[in-house]
Structures are given as C-alpha cells and as structure tokens.
CSV table of all heavy atoms in Angstrom, one decimal:
chain,number,residue,atom,x,y,z
M,754,MET,N,0.9,-1.2,0.0
M,754,MET,CA,0.0,0.0,0.0
M,754,MET,C,0.9,1.2,0.0
M,754,MET,O,1.7,1.4,0.9
M,754,MET,CB,-0.9,0.0,1.3
M,754,MET,CG,-1.7,-1.2,1.4
M,754,MET,SD,-3.4,-0.8,1.5
M,754,MET,CE,-3.5,0.3,2.9
M,755,GLU,N,0.7,2.1,-1.0
M,755,GLU,CA,1.5,3.3,-1.0
M,755,GLU,C,0.6,4.5,-1.4
M,755,GLU,O,-0.1,4.4,-2.5
M,755,GLU,CB,2.7,3.2,-1.8
M,755,GLU,CG,2.4,2.9,-3.3
M,755,GLU,CD,3.7,3.0,-4.2
M,755,GLU,OE1,4.1,4.2,-4.3
M,755,GLU,OE2,4.1,2.0,-4.6
M,756,GLY,N,0.7,5.5,-0.7
M,756,GLY,CA,0.0,6.7,-1.1
M,756,GLY,C,-1.4,6.6,-1.5
M,756,GLY,O,-1.9,7.4,-2.3
M,757,GLY,N,-2.1,5.6,-0.9
M,757,GLY,CA,-3.5,5.4,-1.3
M,757,GLY,C,-4.4,6.5,-0.7
M,757,GLY,O,-4.0,7.2,0.2
M,758,LEU,N,-5.6,6.6,-1.3
M,758,LEU,CA,-6.5,7.5,-0.8
M,758,LEU,C,-7.1,6.9,0.5
M,758,LEU,O,-7.2,5.7,0.6
M,758,LEU,CB,-7.7,7.8,-1.8
M,758,LEU,CG,-7.2,8.4,-3.1
M,758,LEU,CD1,-8.4,8.4,-4.1
M,758,LEU,CD2,-6.8,9.9,-2.8
M,759,ASN,N,-7.6,7.8,1.4
M,759,ASN,CA,-8.2,7.3,2.6
M,759,ASN,C,-9.6,6.7,2.2
M,759,ASN,O,-10.2,7.0,1.2
M,759,ASN,CB,-8.6,8.5,3.5
M,759,ASN,CG,-7.3,9.0,4.3
M,759,ASN,OD1,-6.3,8.3,4.3
M,759,ASN,ND2,-7.5,10.1,4.9
M,760,MET,N,-10.0,5.7,3.1
M,760,MET,CA,-11.3,5.2,3.0
M,760,MET,C,-12.3,6.4,3.1
M,760,MET,O,-12.0,7.4,3.8
M,760,MET,CB,-11.5,4.2,4.1
M,760,MET,CG,-12.9,3.8,4.3
M,760,MET,SD,-13.2,3.0,6.0
M,760,MET,CE,-12.4,1.4,5.6
M,761,ARG,N,-13.4,6.2,2.5
M,761,ARG,CA,-14.5,7.2,2.7
M,761,ARG,C,-15.8,6.5,3.1
M,761,ARG,O,-16.0,5.3,2.8
M,761,ARG,CB,-14.8,8.0,1.4
M,761,ARG,CG,-13.7,8.9,1.0
M,761,ARG,CD,-14.0,9.7,-0.3
M,761,ARG,NE,-15.0,10.7,-0.1
M,761,ARG,CZ,-14.8,11.9,0.5
M,761,ARG,NH1,-13.6,12.2,1.0
M,761,ARG,NH2,-15.8,12.7,0.6
M,762,ILE,N,-16.6,7.2,3.9
M,762,ILE,CA,-17.9,6.7,4.2
M,762,ILE,C,-19.0,7.6,3.7
M,762,ILE,O,-18.8,8.9,3.7
M,762,ILE,CB,-18.1,6.5,5.7
M,762,ILE,CG1,-17.7,7.7,6.5
M,762,ILE,CG2,-17.3,5.3,6.2
M,762,ILE,CD1,-17.9,7.6,8.0
M,763,ILE,N,-20.0,7.1,3.2
M,763,ILE,CA,-21.1,7.9,2.7
M,763,ILE,C,-22.4,7.4,3.4
M,763,ILE,O,-22.7,6.2,3.4
M,763,ILE,CB,-21.3,7.7,1.2
M,763,ILE,CG1,-20.0,8.1,0.5
M,763,ILE,CG2,-22.5,8.5,0.6
M,763,ILE,CD1,-19.9,7.7,-1.0
M,764,VAL,N,-23.1,8.3,3.9
M,764,VAL,CA,-24.4,8.0,4.6
M,764,VAL,C,-25.5,8.5,3.7
M,764,VAL,O,-25.6,9.6,3.4
M,764,VAL,CB,-24.5,8.6,6.0
M,764,VAL,CG1,-25.8,8.2,6.7
M,764,VAL,CG2,-23.3,8.1,6.9
M,765,ASP,N,-26.4,7.5,3.4
M,765,ASP,CA,-27.6,7.9,2.6
M,765,ASP,C,-28.7,8.4,3.5
M,765,ASP,O,-29.3,7.6,4.2
M,765,ASP,CB,-28.1,6.7,1.8
M,765,ASP,CG,-29.2,7.0,0.8
M,765,ASP,OD1,-29.9,8.0,1.0
M,765,ASP,OD2,-29.4,6.2,-0.1
M,766,HIS,N,-29.0,9.6,3.5
M,766,HIS,CA,-29.9,10.2,4.4
M,766,HIS,C,-31.4,9.9,4.0
M,766,HIS,O,-32.3,10.1,4.8
M,766,HIS,CB,-29.7,11.7,4.5
M,766,HIS,CG,-28.5,12.1,5.3
M,766,HIS,ND1,-28.5,12.3,6.7
M,766,HIS,CD2,-27.2,12.2,4.9
M,766,HIS,CE1,-27.3,12.5,7.1
M,766,HIS,NE2,-26.5,12.5,6.1
M,767,ASP,N,-31.6,9.4,2.8
M,767,ASP,CA,-32.9,8.9,2.4
M,767,ASP,C,-33.2,7.5,3.1
M,767,ASP,O,-34.3,7.1,3.1
M,767,ASP,CB,-33.0,8.7,0.9
M,767,ASP,CG,-33.0,10.1,0.2
M,767,ASP,OD1,-33.4,11.1,0.9
M,767,ASP,OD2,-32.6,10.1,-0.9
M,768,VAL,N,-32.1,6.9,3.6
M,768,VAL,CA,-32.2,5.5,4.1
M,768,VAL,C,-32.1,5.5,5.6
M,768,VAL,O,-32.7,4.7,6.3
M,768,VAL,CB,-31.2,4.6,3.5
M,768,VAL,CG1,-31.2,3.2,4.1
M,768,VAL,CG2,-31.4,4.5,1.9
M,769,CYS,N,-31.3,6.4,6.2
M,769,CYS,CA,-31.1,6.5,7.6
M,769,CYS,C,-32.4,6.9,8.3
M,769,CYS,O,-33.0,7.8,7.9
M,769,CYS,CB,-30.0,7.6,7.9
M,769,CYS,SG,-29.9,8.0,9.7
M,770,THR,N,-32.8,6.0,9.3
M,770,THR,CA,-34.0,6.3,10.0
M,770,THR,C,-33.7,6.6,11.5
M,770,THR,O,-34.6,6.6,12.3
M,770,THR,CB,-34.9,5.1,9.9
M,770,THR,OG1,-34.2,3.9,10.3
M,770,THR,CG2,-35.4,4.9,8.5
M,771,GLY,N,-32.4,6.8,11.8
M,771,GLY,CA,-32.1,7.3,13.1
M,771,GLY,C,-31.9,6.2,14.2
M,771,GLY,O,-32.2,6.5,15.3
M,772,HIS,N,-31.5,5.1,13.8
M,772,HIS,CA,-31.3,4.0,14.7
M,772,HIS,C,-30.2,4.4,15.7
M,772,HIS,O,-30.2,3.9,16.9
M,772,HIS,CB,-30.9,2.7,14.1
M,772,HIS,CG,-32.0,2.0,13.4
M,772,HIS,ND1,-33.0,1.3,14.1
M,772,HIS,CD2,-32.4,1.9,12.1
M,772,HIS,CE1,-33.9,0.8,13.2
M,772,HIS,NE2,-33.6,1.2,12.0
M,773,GLY,N,-29.2,5.1,15.3
M,773,GLY,CA,-28.1,5.5,16.1
M,773,GLY,C,-27.1,4.5,16.5
M,773,GLY,O,-26.2,4.7,17.3
M,774,ARG,N,-27.2,3.3,15.9
M,774,ARG,CA,-26.3,2.2,16.2
M,774,ARG,C,-24.8,2.6,15.7
M,774,ARG,O,-23.9,2.3,16.4
M,774,ARG,CB,-26.7,1.0,15.5
M,774,ARG,CG,-28.0,0.4,15.9
M,774,ARG,CD,-27.9,-0.2,17.4
M,774,ARG,NE,-26.8,-1.2,17.4
M,774,ARG,CZ,-26.1,-1.5,18.5
M,774,ARG,NH1,-26.3,-0.9,19.6
M,774,ARG,NH2,-25.2,-2.5,18.4
M,775,CYS,N,-24.7,3.3,14.6
M,775,CYS,CA,-23.4,3.7,14.1
M,775,CYS,C,-22.6,4.5,15.2
M,775,CYS,O,-21.5,4.1,15.5
M,775,CYS,CB,-23.6,4.5,12.8
M,775,CYS,SG,-24.7,5.9,13.0
M,776,ALA,N,-23.2,5.5,15.7
M,776,ALA,CA,-22.6,6.3,16.7
M,776,ALA,C,-22.4,5.6,18.0
M,776,ALA,O,-21.4,5.9,18.8
M,776,ALA,CB,-23.3,7.6,17.0
M,777,ALA,N,-23.3,4.6,18.3
M,777,ALA,CA,-23.1,3.9,19.6
M,777,ALA,C,-21.9,2.9,19.6
M,777,ALA,O,-21.2,2.8,20.6
M,777,ALA,CB,-24.4,3.1,19.8
M,778,VAL,N,-21.7,2.3,18.4
M,778,VAL,CA,-20.6,1.3,18.4
M,778,VAL,C,-19.3,1.9,17.9
M,778,VAL,O,-18.3,1.3,18.1
M,778,VAL,CB,-21.0,0.1,17.5
M,778,VAL,CG1,-22.3,-0.6,18.0
M,778,VAL,CG2,-21.2,0.5,16.0
M,779,ALA,N,-19.4,3.0,17.2
M,779,ALA,CA,-18.2,3.6,16.7
M,779,ALA,C,-18.2,5.1,16.8
M,779,ALA,O,-18.2,5.9,15.8
M,779,ALA,CB,-18.0,3.2,15.2
M,780,PRO,N,-18.2,5.6,18.0
M,780,PRO,CA,-18.3,7.1,18.2
M,780,PRO,C,-17.1,7.9,17.7
M,780,PRO,O,-17.2,9.1,17.6
M,780,PRO,CB,-18.4,7.2,19.8
M,780,PRO,CG,-17.8,6.0,20.3
M,780,PRO,CD,-18.1,4.9,19.3
M,781,SER,N,-16.0,7.2,17.4
M,781,SER,CA,-14.8,7.9,16.9
M,781,SER,C,-15.0,8.3,15.5
M,781,SER,O,-14.3,9.2,15.0
M,781,SER,CB,-13.6,7.0,17.0
M,781,SER,OG,-13.7,5.9,16.2
M,782,VAL,N,-16.0,7.7,14.8
M,782,VAL,CA,-16.2,8.0,13.4
M,782,VAL,C,-17.6,8.6,13.2
M,782,VAL,O,-17.7,9.6,12.4
M,782,VAL,CB,-16.2,6.7,12.6
M,782,VAL,CG1,-16.5,6.9,11.1
M,782,VAL,CG2,-14.8,6.1,12.7
M,783,TYR,N,-18.6,8.1,13.9
M,783,TYR,CA,-20.0,8.5,13.6
M,783,TYR,C,-20.6,9.4,14.7
M,783,TYR,O,-20.2,9.3,15.8
M,783,TYR,CB,-20.9,7.3,13.4
M,783,TYR,CG,-20.5,6.4,12.3
M,783,TYR,CD1,-19.7,5.3,12.5
M,783,TYR,CD2,-20.9,6.7,11.0
M,783,TYR,CE1,-19.2,4.5,11.5
M,783,TYR,CE2,-20.4,5.9,9.9
M,783,TYR,CZ,-19.6,4.8,10.2
M,783,TYR,OH,-19.2,4.0,9.2
M,784,SER,N,-21.4,10.4,14.3
M,784,SER,CA,-22.1,11.2,15.2
M,784,SER,C,-23.5,11.4,14.7
M,784,SER,O,-23.8,11.2,13.6
M,784,SER,CB,-21.4,12.5,15.4
M,784,SER,OG,-21.2,13.2,14.1
M,785,LEU,N,-24.4,11.9,15.6
M,785,LEU,CA,-25.8,12.1,15.3
M,785,LEU,C,-26.1,13.5,15.4
M,785,LEU,O,-25.5,14.3,16.2
M,785,LEU,CB,-26.6,11.3,16.3
M,785,LEU,CG,-26.3,9.8,16.4
M,785,LEU,CD1,-27.2,9.1,17.5
M,785,LEU,CD2,-26.4,9.1,15.1
M,786,ASP,N,-27.2,13.9,14.7
M,786,ASP,CA,-27.7,15.3,14.8
M,786,ASP,C,-28.7,15.4,16.0
M,786,ASP,O,-28.9,14.4,16.6
M,786,ASP,CB,-28.2,15.8,13.5
M,786,ASP,CG,-29.5,15.0,13.0
M,786,ASP,OD1,-30.1,14.4,13.9
M,786,ASP,OD2,-29.8,15.1,11.9
M,787,ASP,N,-29.2,16.5,16.2
M,787,ASP,CA,-30.1,16.7,17.3
M,787,ASP,C,-31.4,15.9,17.3
M,787,ASP,O,-32.0,15.6,18.3
M,787,ASP,CB,-30.5,18.2,17.4
M,787,ASP,CG,-29.4,19.1,17.8
M,787,ASP,OD1,-28.4,18.6,18.4
M,787,ASP,OD2,-29.5,20.3,17.7
M,788,ALA,N,-31.7,15.4,16.1
M,788,ALA,CA,-32.9,14.6,15.9
M,788,ALA,C,-32.6,13.1,15.9
M,788,ALA,O,-33.5,12.2,15.8
M,788,ALA,CB,-33.6,14.9,14.6
M,789,GLY,N,-31.3,12.8,16.1
M,789,GLY,CA,-30.9,11.4,16.2
M,789,GLY,C,-30.5,10.7,14.9
M,789,GLY,O,-30.3,9.5,14.9
M,790,PHE,N,-30.5,11.4,13.9
M,790,PHE,CA,-30.1,10.9,12.6
M,790,PHE,C,-28.6,11.1,12.4
M,790,PHE,O,-28.0,11.9,13.1
M,790,PHE,CB,-30.8,11.6,11.4
M,790,PHE,CG,-32.3,11.3,11.4
M,790,PHE,CD1,-33.2,12.1,12.2
M,790,PHE,CD2,-32.8,10.2,10.7
M,790,PHE,CE1,-34.5,11.8,12.1
M,790,PHE,CE2,-34.1,10.0,10.6
M,790,PHE,CZ,-35.0,10.8,11.4
M,791,SER,N,-28.0,10.4,11.5
M,791,SER,CA,-26.6,10.5,11.3
M,791,SER,C,-26.2,12.0,10.9
M,791,SER,O,-26.9,12.6,10.1
M,791,SER,CB,-26.1,9.6,10.1
M,791,SER,OG,-24.7,9.9,9.8
M,792,ALA,N,-25.2,12.5,11.5
M,792,ALA,CA,-24.7,13.8,11.2
M,792,ALA,C,-23.7,13.8,10.1
M,792,ALA,O,-23.3,14.9,9.7
M,792,ALA,CB,-24.2,14.5,12.5
M,793,ILE,N,-23.4,12.7,9.6
M,793,ILE,CA,-22.4,12.5,8.6
M,793,ILE,C,-23.0,12.3,7.3
M,793,ILE,O,-24.0,11.5,7.2
M,793,ILE,CB,-21.4,11.4,8.9
M,793,ILE,CG1,-20.6,11.7,10.1
M,793,ILE,CG2,-20.5,11.0,7.7
M,793,ILE,CD1,-19.7,10.6,10.6
M,794,THR,N,-22.6,13.0,6.2
M,794,THR,CA,-23.0,12.7,4.9
M,794,THR,C,-22.0,12.0,4.1
M,794,THR,O,-22.2,10.9,3.6
M,794,THR,CB,-23.4,14.0,4.2
M,794,THR,OG1,-24.5,14.6,4.9
M,794,THR,CG2,-23.9,13.7,2.8
M,795,GLU,N,-20.8,12.5,4.1
M,795,GLU,CA,-19.7,11.9,3.4
M,795,GLU,C,-18.4,12.4,4.0
M,795,GLU,O,-18.3,13.7,4.2
M,795,GLU,CB,-19.7,12.2,1.9
M,795,GLU,CG,-18.6,11.5,1.1
M,795,GLU,CD,-18.8,11.6,-0.4
M,795,GLU,OE1,-19.9,12.1,-0.8
M,795,GLU,OE2,-17.9,11.1,-1.1
M,796,THR,N,-17.5,11.5,4.3
M,796,THR,CA,-16.3,12.0,5.0
M,796,THR,C,-15.1,11.0,4.8
M,796,THR,O,-15.4,9.8,4.6
M,796,THR,CB,-16.5,12.3,6.5
M,796,THR,OG1,-15.4,12.9,7.1
M,796,THR,CG2,-16.7,10.9,7.2
M,797,ASP,N,-13.9,11.6,4.9
M,797,ASP,CA,-12.7,10.7,4.9
M,797,ASP,C,-12.6,10.0,6.2
M,797,ASP,O,-13.0,10.6,7.2
M,797,ASP,CB,-11.5,11.5,4.6
M,797,ASP,CG,-11.3,11.9,3.1
M,797,ASP,OD1,-11.6,11.0,2.3
M,797,ASP,OD2,-11.0,13.0,2.8
M,798,VAL,N,-12.0,8.9,6.2
M,798,VAL,CA,-11.7,8.1,7.4
M,798,VAL,C,-10.2,7.9,7.5
M,798,VAL,O,-9.6,7.3,6.6
M,798,VAL,CB,-12.4,6.8,7.5
M,798,VAL,CG1,-12.1,6.0,8.7
M,798,VAL,CG2,-13.9,7.0,7.3
M,799,ALA,N,-9.6,8.4,8.6
M,799,ALA,CA,-8.2,8.2,8.8
M,799,ALA,C,-7.9,6.7,9.0
M,799,ALA,O,-8.8,6.0,9.5
M,799,ALA,CB,-7.7,9.0,10.0
M,800,PRO,N,-6.7,6.2,8.6
M,800,PRO,CA,-6.4,4.8,8.7
M,800,PRO,C,-6.7,4.2,10.0
M,800,PRO,O,-7.2,3.1,10.1
M,800,PRO,CB,-5.0,4.7,8.3
M,800,PRO,CG,-4.7,5.9,7.4
M,800,PRO,CD,-5.7,7.0,8.0
M,801,GLU,N,-6.4,4.9,11.1
M,801,GLU,CA,-6.6,4.3,12.4
M,801,GLU,C,-8.1,4.2,12.8
M,801,GLU,O,-8.4,3.6,13.8
M,801,GLU,CB,-5.9,5.2,13.5
M,801,GLU,CG,-6.4,6.6,13.6
M,801,GLU,CD,-5.6,7.6,12.7
M,801,GLU,OE1,-5.1,7.2,11.6
M,801,GLU,OE2,-5.4,8.7,13.2
M,802,HIS,N,-9.0,4.8,12.0
M,802,HIS,CA,-10.4,4.7,12.3
M,802,HIS,C,-11.2,3.8,11.3
M,802,HIS,O,-12.4,3.7,11.4
M,802,HIS,CB,-11.1,6.0,12.3
M,802,HIS,CG,-10.6,6.9,13.4
M,802,HIS,ND1,-10.6,6.5,14.8
M,802,HIS,CD2,-10.0,8.2,13.4
M,802,HIS,CE1,-10.1,7.5,15.5
M,802,HIS,NE2,-9.8,8.5,14.7
M,803,GLU,N,-10.4,3.1,10.5
M,803,GLU,CA,-11.1,2.3,9.4
M,803,GLU,C,-11.9,1.1,10.0
M,803,GLU,O,-13.0,0.8,9.6
M,803,GLU,CB,-10.0,1.7,8.4
M,803,GLU,CG,-9.5,2.8,7.5
M,803,GLU,CD,-8.6,2.2,6.4
M,803,GLU,OE1,-8.4,1.0,6.4
M,803,GLU,OE2,-8.1,3.0,5.6
M,804,ALA,N,-11.3,0.5,11.0
M,804,ALA,CA,-12.0,-0.7,11.6
M,804,ALA,C,-13.3,-0.2,12.3
M,804,ALA,O,-14.4,-0.9,12.1
M,804,ALA,CB,-11.1,-1.3,12.7
M,805,ALA,N,-13.3,0.9,13.0
M,805,ALA,CA,-14.5,1.5,13.6
M,805,ALA,C,-15.5,1.9,12.5
M,805,ALA,O,-16.7,1.7,12.7
M,805,ALA,CB,-14.1,2.7,14.5
M,806,ALA,N,-15.0,2.4,11.4
M,806,ALA,CA,-15.9,2.8,10.4
M,806,ALA,C,-16.7,1.6,9.8
M,806,ALA,O,-17.9,1.6,9.6
M,806,ALA,CB,-15.2,3.5,9.2
M,807,ARG,N,-16.0,0.5,9.6
M,807,ARG,CA,-16.6,-0.8,9.2
M,807,ARG,C,-17.6,-1.3,10.2
M,807,ARG,O,-18.7,-1.8,9.8
M,807,ARG,CB,-15.5,-1.8,8.8
M,807,ARG,CG,-14.7,-1.5,7.6
M,807,ARG,CD,-13.8,-2.6,7.3
M,807,ARG,NE,-12.7,-2.2,6.4
M,807,ARG,CZ,-12.8,-2.0,5.1
M,807,ARG,NH1,-14.0,-2.2,4.5
M,807,ARG,NH2,-11.8,-1.5,4.4
M,808,THR,N,-17.2,-1.3,11.4
M,808,THR,CA,-18.1,-1.8,12.5
M,808,THR,C,-19.4,-1.0,12.5
M,808,THR,O,-20.5,-1.5,12.6
M,808,THR,CB,-17.4,-1.7,13.9
M,808,THR,OG1,-16.2,-2.5,13.9
M,808,THR,CG2,-18.3,-2.1,15.0
M,809,GLY,N,-19.3,0.3,12.4
M,809,GLY,CA,-20.4,1.2,12.4
M,809,GLY,C,-21.3,0.9,11.2
M,809,GLY,O,-22.6,0.8,11.4
M,810,ALA,N,-20.7,0.7,10.0
M,810,ALA,CA,-21.5,0.4,8.8
M,810,ALA,C,-22.2,-0.9,9.0
M,810,ALA,O,-23.4,-1.1,8.6
M,810,ALA,CB,-20.6,0.4,7.6
M,811,ASN,N,-21.5,-1.9,9.5
M,811,ASN,CA,-22.1,-3.2,9.7
M,811,ASN,C,-23.2,-3.3,10.7
M,811,ASN,O,-24.1,-4.2,10.7
M,811,ASN,CB,-21.0,-4.2,10.1
M,811,ASN,CG,-20.0,-4.5,9.0
M,811,ASN,OD1,-20.3,-4.3,7.8
M,811,ASN,ND2,-18.9,-5.0,9.3
M,812,ASN,N,-23.3,-2.3,11.6
M,812,ASN,CA,-24.3,-2.3,12.6
M,812,ASN,C,-25.5,-1.4,12.3
M,812,ASN,O,-26.4,-1.3,13.1
M,812,ASN,CB,-23.6,-1.8,14.0
M,812,ASN,CG,-23.0,-3.0,14.7
M,812,ASN,OD1,-23.6,-3.7,15.4
M,812,ASN,ND2,-21.7,-3.2,14.4
M,813,CYS,N,-25.5,-0.8,11.1
M,813,CYS,CA,-26.7,0.0,10.7
M,813,CYS,C,-27.7,-1.0,10.2
M,813,CYS,O,-27.5,-1.6,9.2
M,813,CYS,CB,-26.3,1.0,9.7
M,813,CYS,SG,-27.8,1.8,9.0
M,814,PRO,N,-28.9,-1.0,10.9
M,814,PRO,CA,-29.9,-2.0,10.5
M,814,PRO,C,-30.5,-1.6,9.1
M,814,PRO,O,-31.1,-2.5,8.4
M,814,PRO,CB,-31.0,-1.8,11.6
M,814,PRO,CG,-30.3,-1.2,12.7
M,814,PRO,CD,-29.2,-0.3,12.1
M,815,GLU,N,-30.4,-0.4,8.7
M,815,GLU,CA,-30.9,0.1,7.4
M,815,GLU,C,-29.9,0.0,6.3
M,815,GLU,O,-30.2,0.3,5.1
M,815,GLU,CB,-31.4,1.5,7.5
M,815,GLU,CG,-32.5,1.7,8.6
M,815,GLU,CD,-33.7,1.0,8.4
M,815,GLU,OE1,-34.0,0.6,7.3
M,815,GLU,OE2,-34.4,0.7,9.4
M,816,ARG,N,-28.7,-0.4,6.6
M,816,ARG,CA,-27.6,-0.4,5.6
M,816,ARG,C,-27.5,1.0,4.9
M,816,ARG,O,-27.4,1.0,3.7
M,816,ARG,CB,-27.8,-1.5,4.6
M,816,ARG,CG,-27.7,-2.9,5.2
M,816,ARG,CD,-27.7,-4.0,4.2
M,816,ARG,NE,-27.5,-5.3,4.7
M,816,ARG,CZ,-26.4,-5.8,5.1
M,816,ARG,NH1,-25.3,-5.1,5.0
M,816,ARG,NH2,-26.3,-7.0,5.6
M,817,ALA,N,-27.6,2.0,5.7
M,817,ALA,CA,-27.5,3.4,5.1
M,817,ALA,C,-26.1,3.8,4.9
M,817,ALA,O,-25.9,4.8,4.2
M,817,ALA,CB,-28.2,4.3,6.1
M,818,ILE,N,-25.1,3.1,5.4
M,818,ILE,CA,-23.7,3.5,5.3
M,818,ILE,C,-23.0,2.7,4.3
M,818,ILE,O,-22.9,1.5,4.4
M,818,ILE,CB,-23.0,3.4,6.7
M,818,ILE,CG1,-23.8,4.1,7.8
M,818,ILE,CG2,-21.6,3.8,6.6
M,818,ILE,CD1,-23.4,3.8,9.2
M,819,THR,N,-22.4,3.4,3.4
M,819,THR,CA,-21.5,2.8,2.3
M,819,THR,C,-20.1,3.1,2.6
M,819,THR,O,-19.7,4.2,2.9
M,819,THR,CB,-21.9,3.3,0.9
M,819,THR,OG1,-23.3,3.0,0.7
M,819,THR,CG2,-21.0,2.7,-0.1
M,820,ILE,N,-19.3,2.0,2.6
M,820,ILE,CA,-17.8,2.2,2.7
M,820,ILE,C,-17.2,2.2,1.3
M,820,ILE,O,-17.5,1.3,0.5
M,820,ILE,CB,-17.2,1.0,3.5
M,820,ILE,CG1,-17.8,0.9,4.9
M,820,ILE,CG2,-15.7,1.1,3.5
M,820,ILE,CD1,-17.2,1.9,5.9
M,821,VAL,N,-16.4,3.2,1.0
M,821,VAL,CA,-15.7,3.3,-0.2
M,821,VAL,C,-14.2,3.2,0.0
M,821,VAL,O,-13.6,4.0,0.6
M,821,VAL,CB,-16.0,4.6,-0.9
M,821,VAL,CG1,-15.3,4.7,-2.3
M,821,VAL,CG2,-17.5,4.9,-1.1
M,822,ASP,N,-13.7,2.0,-0.3
M,822,ASP,CA,-12.2,1.8,-0.1
M,822,ASP,C,-11.4,2.5,-1.2
M,822,ASP,O,-11.8,2.6,-2.3
M,822,ASP,CB,-11.9,0.3,-0.1
M,822,ASP,CG,-12.5,-0.4,1.1
M,822,ASP,OD1,-12.1,0.0,2.2
M,822,ASP,OD2,-13.3,-1.4,1.0
Z,1966,F3S,FE1,-28.8,6.1,10.6
Z,1966,F3S,FE2,-28.0,3.6,10.5
Z,1966,F3S,FE3,-26.7,5.3,12.0
Z,1966,F3S,S1,-30.1,4.3,10.5
Z,1966,F3S,S2,-28.2,6.8,12.7
Z,1966,F3S,S3,-26.9,5.4,9.8
Z,1966,F3S,S4,-27.2,3.2,12.5
C-alpha cells in the first residue's frame, strides 16, 4: 500500500432512520444530529479509524452507510 486515498464513508440520508447504532458502536467515526439521525453525509476516514468505520456500517440496520475503499 502506498500513497492510497483514505477510505470514505457515505451515509444515505434517504435511508437513515435514526437507529443511532453507528454512533453507539463507533463514536470515533459517527455522530448524530439533534434529531438522532446521522450527522455525517460523506467524509474521509483516517487509517486508524477504518475498523471502527466498518463496525459502524455493519451495525446499521438500514444499511444506510456505504464504505468506499
Ligand atoms: Fe442512521 Fe443507520 Fe446510524 S439508520 S443513525 S446510519 S445506525
């Protein structure tokens, strides 16, 4: 691996229904807005947070979170 782009996460706000699991299991990556929906739309993930990003995505019951490697 050399000079690769960071992983990105994309949250589909048409699909997020505010379960909040993402932020509960991976608070280093995910956060919620005042209404309890994902506060993230699209963001880079630092290498040290990649595992947490995947955990959060895997724990979304709506599969609203897409990981882009
Ligand atoms: Fe939304 Fe899924 Fe998180 S529904 S708040 S992206 S667990």
Side-chain angles (χ1 to χ4, degrees):
M754 302 238 302
E755 62 170 288
L758 296 171
N759 282 348
M760 171 196 283
R761 292 182 69 76
I762 50 176
I763 302 170
V764 178
D765 186 340
H766 288 269
D767 291 334
V768 178
C769 172
T770 54
H772 286 283
R774 295 290 302 153
C775 52
V778 300
S781 63
V782 175
Y783 298 97
S784 55
L785 306 178
D786 65 19
D787 290 343
F790 294 86
S791 174
I793 292 177
T794 299
E795 183 169 355
T796 190
D797 281 320
V798 179
E801 62 267 33
H802 293 307
E803 286 186 0
R807 291 186 197 282
T808 298
N811 289 338
N812 278 272
C813 174
E815 305 296 338
R816 296 190 175 279
I818 303 167
T819 300
I820 299 284
V821 182
D822 286 304

